[in-house]
């Protein structure tokens, strides 16, 4: 674990930073210690005013905001309650145990990390000294927490040596240099260790979130036949950019053969969270108005929807990336109702006002209204359409075949 401590003069700015991450779906408030309400019940001003009231007790202290980040090794995948316990233990060990503080879990990097916002003014107006806090109290707390919680040890890394577990922004990377390879290596290693996927397409559904892709090459090529694998950086439009990196040169050697060896194990491991994900999808499908709204609602719950489409824009596949449980599912693996075909059919039905799917063997309903919709959406035979519309007005219409012919009375001879 690596701890970073920053002090400042704006509590509002520190809270704003984390709240904006929450709005973007990249963070969530997991703990509000020392607040009269539960975290989910707090609005922005509830969060700010609790800290600001303490800061106002000492107007001479211009630096009163403390913003801490706790960063964990990329191989670790800690539950939310475990992160809460670690945050509380850390704050107590550095002398902030009785201070109110907010803990945000961020999801915008390849490693797990939390941000803690608090104030160093106590309820009696006295200031908690920040002098050498990182070097003394924080370093001691880090070592004790690593031991008591069984965390990967930071190994005495200094915060200024550039080896911190930090977020890698690939869009700003200098392509073709060692920094780019290290960034790709960090992301690939973290995703493979933390996420449960059962195909290369599912792995790419996660990697693409970090602007990285794994490429086998086109079918029929020597690379494809030899089961080669390259990792590339993606630009903002999803195009590969820079020099691709061979899987065998990345730490851990995430080659295609190594990945395929994980598929069966990952399939078994993710079964426990499948019912929970299906329940969320069922509820979201009943409220979503279209595919974009569907994706938006799920993203707010830390689930990304990845649509796979061909060059003509036809969506033939859908993948769900659940960042909460670190699992990836192809839609059809969850069930027919969650496949690309079913999702596509639902929105098409809503647009054309079609009725729900009917059971096999039942005759299709006759609806003049649906005929009008079809007429407006695609060209049909004008004469045929006019016959159908005229039929609606002819309430006394009787087919010719059902009309009885009147028999003429023969005149008998006189």
């Amino acid at each position: 674990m690596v701890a970073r401590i920053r002090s400042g003069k704006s509590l509002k700015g520190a809270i704003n930073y984390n709240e904006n991450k929450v709005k973007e779906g990249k963070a969530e408030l997991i703990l509000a210690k020392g607040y009269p309400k539960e975290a989910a019940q707090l609005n922005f001003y509830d969060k700010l005013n609790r800290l600001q009231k303490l800061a106002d007790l000492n107007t001479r202290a211009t630096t009163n905001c403390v913003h801490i980040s706790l960063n964990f090794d990329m191989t670790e995948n800690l539950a939310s309650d475990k992160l809460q316990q670690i945050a509380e233990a850390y704050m107590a060990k550095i002398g902030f145990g009785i201070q109110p503080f907010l803990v945000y879990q961020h999801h915008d990097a390849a490693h797990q990390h939390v941000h803690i916002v608090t104030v160093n003014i106590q309820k009696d107006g006295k200031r908690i000294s920040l002098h050498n806090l990182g070097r003394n109290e924080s370093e001691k707390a880090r070592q004790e927490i690593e031991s008591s919680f069984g965390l990967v040890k930071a190994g005495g890394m200094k915060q200024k040596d550039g080896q911190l577990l930090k977020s890698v922004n690939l869009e700003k990377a200098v392509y073709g240099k060692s920094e780019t390879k290290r960034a790709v290596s960090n992301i690939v290693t973290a995703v493979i260790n933390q996420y449960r996927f059962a195909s290369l397409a599912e792995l790419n559904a996660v990697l693409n979130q970090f602007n990285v892709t794994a490429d086998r090459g086109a079918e029929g090529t020597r690379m494809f036949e030899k089961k080669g694998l390259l990792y590339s950086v993606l630009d903002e439009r999803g195009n590969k950019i820079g020099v691709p990196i061979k899987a065998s040169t990345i730490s851990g050697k995430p080659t295609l053969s190594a990945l395929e060896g994980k598929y069966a194990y990952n399939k078994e491991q993710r079964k426990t969270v499948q019912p929970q994900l299906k329940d969320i999808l069922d509820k979201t499908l009943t409220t979503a108005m279209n595919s974009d709204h569907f994706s938006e609602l799920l993203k707010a719950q830390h689930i990304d929807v990845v649509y796979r489409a061909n060059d003509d824009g036809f969506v033939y596949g859908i993948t769900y990336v659940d960042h909460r449980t670190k699992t990836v599912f192809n839609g059809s693996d969850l069930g027919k109702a969650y496949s690309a075909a079913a999702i596509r059919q639902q929105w098409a039905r809503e647009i054309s006002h079609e009725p729900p799917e009917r059971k096999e063997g039942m005759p299709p309903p006759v609806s003049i209204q649906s005929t009008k919709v079809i007429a407006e959406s695609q060209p049909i035979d004008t004469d045929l359409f006019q016959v159908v519309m005229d039929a609606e007005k002819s309430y006394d219409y009787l087919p010719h075949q059902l009309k009885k012919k009147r028999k003429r009375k023969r005149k008998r001879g006189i």
Side-chain angles (χ1 to χ4, degrees), residues 261-297:
K262 291 177 173 287
Y263 293 164
Y265 174 78
N266 287 347
K267 274 187 178 180
E268 195 65 29
Q269 289 294 307
R270 68 185 187 183
K271 283 183 179 179
T272 56
V273 300
Q274 185 171 328
Q276 181 187 13
L277 177 59
K278 290 173 70 172
D279 184 55
I280 293 174
L281 294 178
D282 288 337
K283 292 176 181 178
T284 307
L285 282 169
T286 59
T287 56
M289 296 180 288
N290 51 49
S291 58
D292 289 337
H293 190 214
F294 179 58
S295 300
E296 182 183 337
L297 292 174

Side-chain angles (χ1 to χ4, degrees), residues 306-347:
V306 180
Y307 297 102
R308 300 192 301 281
N310 59 20
D311 294 337
D312 297 325
F314 178 80
V315 176
Y316 63 86
I318 186 171
T319 304
Y320 303 98
V321 181
D322 190 344
H323 296 289
R324 302 168 309 112
T325 59
K326 299 292 191 296
T327 52
V328 192
F329 287 93
N330 186 38
S332 57
D333 289 342
L334 288 172
K336 184 179 178 181
Y338 315 102
S339 66
I343 300 297
R344 189 174 61 244
Q345 184 179 4
Q346 171 158 335
W347 309 138

Side-chain angles (χ1 to χ4, degrees), residues 191-231:
V191 169
I192 291 175
N193 287 337
Q194 295 182 21
Y195 285 81
R196 299 288 175 254
F197 51 88
S199 69
L200 189 63
E202 292 179 5
L203 170 61
N204 271 328
V206 188
L207 290 178
N208 291 173
Q209 309 298 314
F210 300 96
N211 291 348
V212 175
T213 187
D215 182 21
R216 281 196 64 184
E219 287 190 37
T221 62
R222 183 180 179 184
M223 176 180 163
F224 188 89
E225 297 298 331
K226 295 290 185 179
K227 303 188 88 173
L229 192 64
L230 297 175
Y231 291 94

Side-chain angles (χ1 to χ4, degrees), residues 72-346:
F72 304 93
D73 190 82
M74 289 186 298
T75 61
E76 293 175 312
N77 183 19
L78 304 172
S80 180
D81 60 340
K82 184 70 68 177
L83 293 173
Q84 293 175 23
Q85 294 171 22
I86 292 173
E88 288 190 76
Y90 175 82
M91 294 299 280
K93 291 178 183 296
I94 67 171
F96 282 76
I98 62 173
Q99 295 295 97
F101 56 86
L102 302 166
V103 181
Y104 294 86
Q105 181 180 0
H106 285 225
H107 307 285
D108 57 352
H111 67 283
Q112 275 192 314
H113 63 291
V114 297
H115 283 242
I116 305 172
V117 181
T118 188
V119 61
N120 68 326
I121 307 301
Q122 304 175 83
K123 61 182 180 181
D124 60 1
K126 292 183 179 181
R127 183 173 62 90
I128 299 175
S129 176
L130 302 178
H131 183 65
N132 286 333
L133 181 64
R135 181 183 301 176
N136 299 330
E137 288 83 355
S138 179
E139 181 63 15
K140 182 180 177 182
R142 175 189 68 79
Q143 294 175 0
E144 292 177 355
I145 288 174
E146 286 176 347
S147 178
S148 58
F149 285 91
L151 303 178
V152 175
K153 295 182 179 180
M157 288 192 300
K158 296 180 180 179
Q159 294 184 359
K160 296 181 181 179
D161 63 4
Q163 297 180 21
L164 280 174
L165 301 176
K166 57 184 178 181
S167 170
V168 180
N169 190 335
L170 293 177
E171 294 180 2
K172 296 181 181 179
V174 181
Y175 300 105
K177 293 189 177 182
S178 59
E179 287 81 359
T180 302
K181 182 177 179 180
R182 183 162 58 248
V184 173
S185 179
N186 288 343
I187 290 172
V188 171
T189 301
V191 169
I192 291 175
N193 287 337
Q194 295 182 21
Y195 285 81
R196 299 288 175 254
F197 51 88
S199 69
L200 189 63
E202 292 179 5
L203 170 61
N204 271 328
V206 188
L207 290 178
N208 291 173
Q209 309 298 314
F210 300 96
N211 291 348
V212 175
T213 187
D215 182 21
R216 281 196 64 184
E219 287 190 37
T221 62
R222 183 180 179 184
M223 176 180 163
F224 188 89
E225 297 298 331
K226 295 290 185 179
K227 303 188 88 173
L229 192 64
L230 297 175
Y231 291 94
S232 299
V233 178
L234 301 176
D235 63 16
E236 296 177 359
R237 297 183 178 180
N239 300 315
K240 287 178 284 188
I241 188 171
V243 180
I245 302 167
K246 289 184 179 180
S248 58
T249 66
I250 293 177
S251 176
K253 299 187 183 302
T255 61
L256 186 61
S257 298
L259 295 177
E260 290 176 340
K262 291 177 173 287
Y263 293 164
Y265 174 78
N266 287 347
K267 274 187 178 180
E268 195 65 29
Q269 289 294 307
R270 68 185 187 183
K271 283 183 179 179
T272 56
V273 300
Q274 185 171 328
Q276 181 187 13
L277 177 59
K278 290 173 70 172
D279 184 55
I280 293 174
L281 294 178
D282 288 337
K283 292 176 181 178
T284 307
L285 282 169
T286 59
T287 56
M289 296 180 288
N290 51 49
S291 58
D292 289 337
H293 190 214
F294 179 58
S295 300
E296 182 183 337
L297 292 174
L298 287 176
K299 193 172 187 65
Q301 301 177 73
H302 311 296
I303 300 171
D304 280 321
V305 181
V306 180
Y307 297 102
R308 300 192 301 281
N310 59 20
D311 294 337
D312 297 325
F314 178 80
V315 176
Y316 63 86
I318 186 171
T319 304
Y320 303 98
V321 181
D322 190 344
H323 296 289
R324 302 168 309 112
T325 59
K326 299 292 191 296
T327 52
V328 192
F329 287 93
N330 186 38
S332 57
D333 289 342
L334 288 172
K336 184 179 178 181
Y338 315 102
S339 66
I343 300 297
R344 189 174 61 244
Q345 184 179 4
Q346 171 158 335

